[in-house]
Amino acid sequence: MFFDGYGYHGTSFEQTYRCYPASFIDKPQIENGDKIIMPPSALDRLASLHIDYPMLFELRNAATDRVSHCGVLEFIAEEGMIYMPYWMMENLLLQEGDTVRVKNVTLPKGKYVKLQPHTKDFLDISNPKAILETTLRNFSCLTTGDSIMVAYNNKKYYIDIVESKPSNAISIIETDCEVDFAPPLDYKEPERPVPSLPSKTPAEGEEAAAEEEPKFNPFTGSARRLDGKPLKQQPPPVSTSGSKDKRPDMANATGQSAAGSSSQSSNRQTQGKLVFGSNANRNPDKQKEPVKEPVKEEPQKKEEPKFQAFTGKKYSLRG
């Protein structure tokens, strides 16, 4: 059974046409969607068939075995020709005048689709979700593996259909479809800063500086007498870089600063004790202990009376 000279037969529509881009016809709006323009004879055949609406078609390039899907906008093309968006011809690897097989199909309604922009410039749009929703209203279906074109602000953005459910080709007319985005093709992960290893040279310099710092030396202040009398001999200066070997010298310097007192009081002062008065006759055995390093004292000009505690007048509480 033939229809108007074309090989239409059976209960389905399937025909081969020569394809041309939208620039060949005064219909530039078809570039912003996935709808094609077919000849009037195709409408006559489709009207006689019990097909599902809206009309959806499968486009197949037999030479490269590429498949895509689309809808139809009008039936005003010349017989034997169809017009389609140029981005769709690129997906099918078609050139002007190449033949393409058109077949009507029924696609399930989409539940999920994953999109991947070619460039991250698409994400820089103030509201990419709203732009995408507006653009997809001109689409009838989506096919996994296709690259759709989104035009915005005189610029074209290409987006890959990475995944679709429940099948590889879905209808997006009057359906609630979940949309997910994959990172753009030119997106690069930010490089994490590599923690630099601490160099050993500053640490060695810090150790050297720590060694050069003066150490703490106790009991290095000036000596004063408890009775307020001036000292006969000033203590020798003590170097700031003290060491363990110089600690006996500090004890000797302390003993020399208290001239006029007995050797016993100097020994007690080296032990960190304070002695009130001379008390030279107390513990005579300790006075006989030999001193390791004898200290040369200057000859006293005059013997001054030693300080005696509690030697004042006595008073009675009765008056």
Side-chain angles (χ1 to χ4, degrees):
M1 180 179 179
F2 293 91
F3 183 81
D4 289 343
Y6 292 91
Y8 298 125
H9 55 83
T11 58
S12 63
F13 176 86
E14 186 174 356
Q15 182 63 29
T16 301
Y17 294 99
R18 291 190 178 275
C19 64
Y20 294 92
S23 58
F24 279 54
I25 191 173
D26 190 16
K27 295 290 182 181
Q29 64 270 22
I30 67 174
E31 288 289 346
N32 297 326
D34 67 338
K35 295 179 175 61
I36 63 175
I37 296 178
M38 301 178 69
S41 60
L43 177 60
D44 296 338
R45 176 58 183 165
L46 290 168
S48 64
L49 299 175
H50 298 286
I51 62 174
D52 296 331
Y53 289 88
M55 297 180 184
L56 300 178
F57 300 92
E58 176 190 275
L59 304 177
R60 180 182 295 273
N61 183 2
T64 58
D65 200 22
R66 298 294 296 269
V67 178
S68 185
H69 297 80
C70 67
V72 60
L73 181 64
E74 292 179 309
F75 295 89
I76 59 173
E78 293 85 354
E79 292 298 333
M81 300 171 55
I82 61 172
Y83 299 96
M84 64 174 61
Y86 185 72
W87 63 265
M88 190 177 293
M89 294 181 63
E90 290 179 336
N91 286 334
L92 295 172
L93 304 178
L94 292 171
Q95 300 294 331
E96 300 173 0
D98 288 350
T99 59
V100 59
R101 194 75 176 172
V102 181
K103 178 182 178 182
N104 73 299
V105 293
T106 301
L107 299 178
K109 290 187 176 183
K111 301 296 182 183
Y112 171 83
V113 62
K114 187 174 184 179
L115 308 177
Q116 185 177 30
H118 284 195
T119 60
K120 57 184 179 182
D121 295 342
F122 180 75
L123 302 179
D124 295 336
I125 300 176
S126 59
N127 194 351
K129 181 180 179 182
I131 300 301
L132 186 62
E133 289 178 353
T134 303
T135 303
L136 290 181
R137 291 174 186 173
N138 300 323
F139 283 72
S140 302
C141 52
L142 297 175
T143 306
T144 302
D146 281 358
S147 295
I148 63 174
M149 189 270 294
V150 176
Y152 175 72
N153 199 15
N154 297 326
K155 190 174 181 179
K156 296 180 180 180
Y157 302 92
Y158 289 90
I159 301 176
D160 290 343
I161 311 299
V162 179
E163 183 182 359
S164 60
K165 295 179 182 180
S167 65
N168 291 335
I170 57 174
S171 171
I172 59 173
I173 299 176
E174 296 180 357
T175 181
D176 294 332
C177 185
E178 179 183 356
V179 179
D180 191 13
F181 283 90
L185 295 178
D186 61 349
Y187 177 76
K188 294 182 180 181
E189 290 286 343
E191 298 180 358
R192 297 181 179 179
V194 180
S196 58
L197 297 176
S199 58
K200 296 182 178 179
T201 305
E204 294 176 356
E206 291 177 0
E207 292 179 359
E211 292 179 357
E212 293 177 359
E213 292 181 358
K215 296 183 179 180
F216 173 71
N217 295 320
F219 307 109
T220 56
S222 60
R224 295 182 182 275
R225 292 175 58 93
L226 293 175
D227 55 0
K229 295 181 179 181
L231 296 176
K232 294 182 179 181
Q233 183 179 1
Q234 296 295 331
V238 182
S239 60
T240 55
S241 59
S243 59
K244 294 181 180 180
D245 298 336
K246 296 183 181 180
R247 294 183 63 181
D249 296 339
M250 290 191 298
N252 294 335
T254 306
Q256 291 177 1
S257 64
S261 62
S262 62
S263 61
Q264 179 183 2
S265 60
S266 64
N267 292 335
R268 290 189 179 183
Q269 289 180 1
T270 57
Q271 298 176 2
K273 295 182 180 181
L274 296 177
V275 180
F276 293 92
S278 60
N279 295 327
N281 297 326
R282 191 182 299 176
N283 298 330
D285 297 336
K286 294 184 178 180
Q287 296 179 357
K288 299 179 181 180
E289 293 181 1
V291 181
K292 295 182 179 179
E293 295 182 4
V295 180
K296 295 182 181 180
E297 298 182 356
E298 296 180 0
Q300 298 182 357
K301 297 180 180 180
K302 293 182 180 181
E303 292 185 0
E304 297 180 358
K306 298 181 179 179
F307 173 73
Q308 299 293 334
F310 306 107
T311 57
K313 293 182 180 182
K314 185 191 307 181
Y315 294 93
S316 174
L317 296 177
R318 296 179 182 178

